[in-house]
Every structure is written in C-alpha cells, then in structure tokens.
Amino acid sequence: MNHSASSAVRDRSRSWADNAVRLIEADARRSADTHLLRYPLPSSWSHDCDLALYLKDESTHITGSLKHRLARSLFLYALCNGWICEGTTVIEASSGSTAVSEAYFASMLGLPFIAVMPASTSATKVALIESQGGRCHFVTESAQVYAEAQRLAEQTGGHYLDQFTNAERATDWRGNNNIAESIFDQMTRETHPVPDWIVVGAGTGGTSATIGRYLRYRRHPTRLCVVDPENSAFYPSYLHDDPGVVTGKSSRIEGIGRPRVEPSFLPGVVDRMVVVPDAASVAAAHHVSRVLGRRVGPSTGTNLWGAFGLLAEMRSQGRSGSVVTLLADGGERYAETYFRAEWLTSHGLDPSEPAEVLVEFERSGCWP
Ligand SMILES: *Cc1c(COP(=O)(O)O)cnc(C)c1O
C-alpha cells in the first residue's frame, strides 16, 4: 500500500470511530440518570436515632442493570484505544448481565457480538442476548470462558473486551458522572448528605474500585464495605492479603462472588468486607421485593443484608447518619430461579431462617 492509500484507510477508520463515539454519547444524552430511593427502616428506630438508608436503583438503565455503565465504558475504552474498528467482532466472557448490556452497544454500532458462557446459563439470559443480535458460544466449565474468549478473538481477528481486567481501567473514577459522583450529587439535600458507609458487592470489582477511589479523591470520610457471597475468592484474599486465592467453586449469587480474584478488584480501597450467607441474600431479596412492591435480584439482597448489619451497628453506637447501597438489577430475570421454591430447594438454598431475622428486624429493629 502506498502512503496516500494507507492514510485514506486511516482517515476512514478514524471517521468510523468518531461516529461510533458520537452514537454512544448521543445514547447517553438521551438517557436519564438512575434514581436514589429511600428505603424504610424499622419505625421503632426513629425514637432513639436518626438513620437513613438509600438504594441506588441501577435496574432502570435501558439494559436493566448496573452493567449498562460498564458496557458503555468498555466500548468507549476500546474505541479510544483503537481496538475496535468497523466490522470488528466483539467478544466477552460473561454468563450474565454484562453480555446483555454489551450486546446492546454492539448492535448500536453494527458490530458482531459473541458472548462466551457456560452451557448451564439460563435460557432467559441466552434469549436476552440473542434478542439484541448477539451470539452465544458455550463451554462446559465456567473456568474455560476466559481462554475461550481469547481464542475466539484471535481466530476472528476480533476484540475481547475482558470485563474482569478492564472494568477498573475503563471507568473514569474521578467523575464524568460515574456511579459515585451521581450518588454524592443526589445526596446533597439529605439530612446526612455524606454517607457513613457505601455497601456494594463485587463481580468484576469495578464498582467498588470506582467508589473507593472516588471517596479518596474527593476526601470523603465515607467508608466502603464490600459484601461477598459464599464460595468467593474475594473475601479470603482480602483477609489474608493474598491475590492468588482460588476457590474453584462458582458463586450461587448471580453477578457477585468469583472463583478467582479478578484483576479489577482493588482491596486497597475497601474498608471492610462482610460474608453474607447465600440463603440470607435470597431471603433479603424476597423481603426487599415485598417492601418495595417489585422484585429485585439476589445480589441486591446481599447488599441489603450487609447494609442492615451496618445500620444496626451504628444504632448500637448511638450514631446518626446514612448508608447507601445498590439495587443492582430487577428480579424479572430470576422468576424461574431465585423466586421459585423448587429451584431454591434443588440448589440447597433455604431462606426460611434468615427470613425470620428480617421480619424480626422490621418489627423490633433488632439485628442478631
Ligand atoms: C456485576 C454485578 C454486580 C457487581 O458489580 P461489579 O462492578 O462487577 O463488581 C452486582 N450485581 C449484579 C446483578 C451484577 O450484574
């Protein structure tokens, strides 16, 4: 190729990328920010302390979960790094919400999208990805998804978005309306505008990394608590300061908990970690769904269980203040799983005991 021909090709690819970035920005501009809901606390508490709990409702994104933010950031990151061009096949290792959101952005840009997922992935998820024009590629073991996504990218000359590595890099942690900036902005007129705690789970670890960095950057005294389900490598790794922990077991709480410590999980910005039993996460998801009058996903149950514990601790110390956590996704996607008794039984999950704890908490304000 002579010099002018190659620069014509470069001009064409720059103008394609310019337009792709514009399309993503235009979509963001047409979209509204997510709500910060107030969650009702036990009424008996109002006599002796002034506490408030808020839920950042990430289920109202166009693609239904907090992964909408991540997918947008990963596409912008790849475009601005020159990794995605016209016709590039985009590949991701994901069995869940990330692939649903990425399929949306791939379709917006007219790019082929392949989600690499375990064969056990629910038909509902597969249908959601395919309805946005994505393709699902199955592997037998969940640990195989990373290598298989990499292999497909090499074979197709495509790009592996790699959420578990790039989540913490692709998000603008200083601001740019990231989730932390949005929370602090929405809190400004509240009685306790600077929360004592923000509680989140970790899947990629990207959300906790963004919030933890933002707290330091803005010099907020707010502390970050990460709640972790059973079988996850994040908690033992945090406890023993060992990034090499591998549990080899899959989490039963969709979206959070990983069998290995993902590169996007940054333990240095986490002030406390709490392990939440899986049955308690499910019980809390059911409980909160009743309180709000609409279903929430299981990781939101994990978040609430952690937040209730912290609020009870603040109350026992006679402190006033606020706690913020996330409603990560709605419960519609889980009607056949976490909201079905037979499915719970077959997965060894019995939420009846923790459900009693929650009823007692609501009634008396007592937390075990
Ligand atoms: C991904 C996910 C999380 C965790 O968020 P990360 O930023 O990946 O750590 C929590 N809940 C749900 C439903 C998710 O899909």
Side-chain angles (χ1 to χ4, degrees), residues 9-30:
V9 168
R10 263 200 297 275
D11 286 351
R12 183 173 150 70
S13 102
R14 265 299 281 280
S15 72
W16 184 87
D18 285 352
N19 191 52
V21 170
R22 181 189 65 80
L23 287 170
I24 294 175
E25 292 220 314
D27 179 75
R29 192 166 284 268
R30 292 191 306 273

Side-chain angles (χ1 to χ4, degrees), residues 127-139:
L128 267 173
I129 292 160
E130 289 177 346
S131 74
Q132 317 239 37
R135 231 180 74 204
C136 298
H137 177 95
F138 298 102
V139 295

Side-chain angles (χ1 to χ4, degrees), residues 114-119 135-139 145 148-149 151-152 155:
I114 307 173
V116 180
M117 48 176 57
R135 231 180 74 204
C136 298
H137 177 95
F138 298 102
V139 295
V145 290
E148 184 62 7
R151 192 192 67 75
L152 274 177
Q155 189 193 57

Side-chain angles (χ1 to χ4, degrees), residues 66-67 97 201-207 254-256 299 328-329 334:
L66 81 172
K67 290 303 192 308
S97 309
T204 64
T207 304
E254 197 146 322
I256 60 168
S299 76
D329 65 356
Y334 309 107

Side-chain angles (χ1 to χ4, degrees), residues 345-364:
T345 307
S346 70
H347 284 74
L349 291 164
D350 177 7
S352 56
E353 257 179 59
E356 282 169 31
V357 170
L358 292 163
V359 168
E360 179 59 21
F361 173 65
E362 200 172 58
R363 194 189 64 77
S364 67

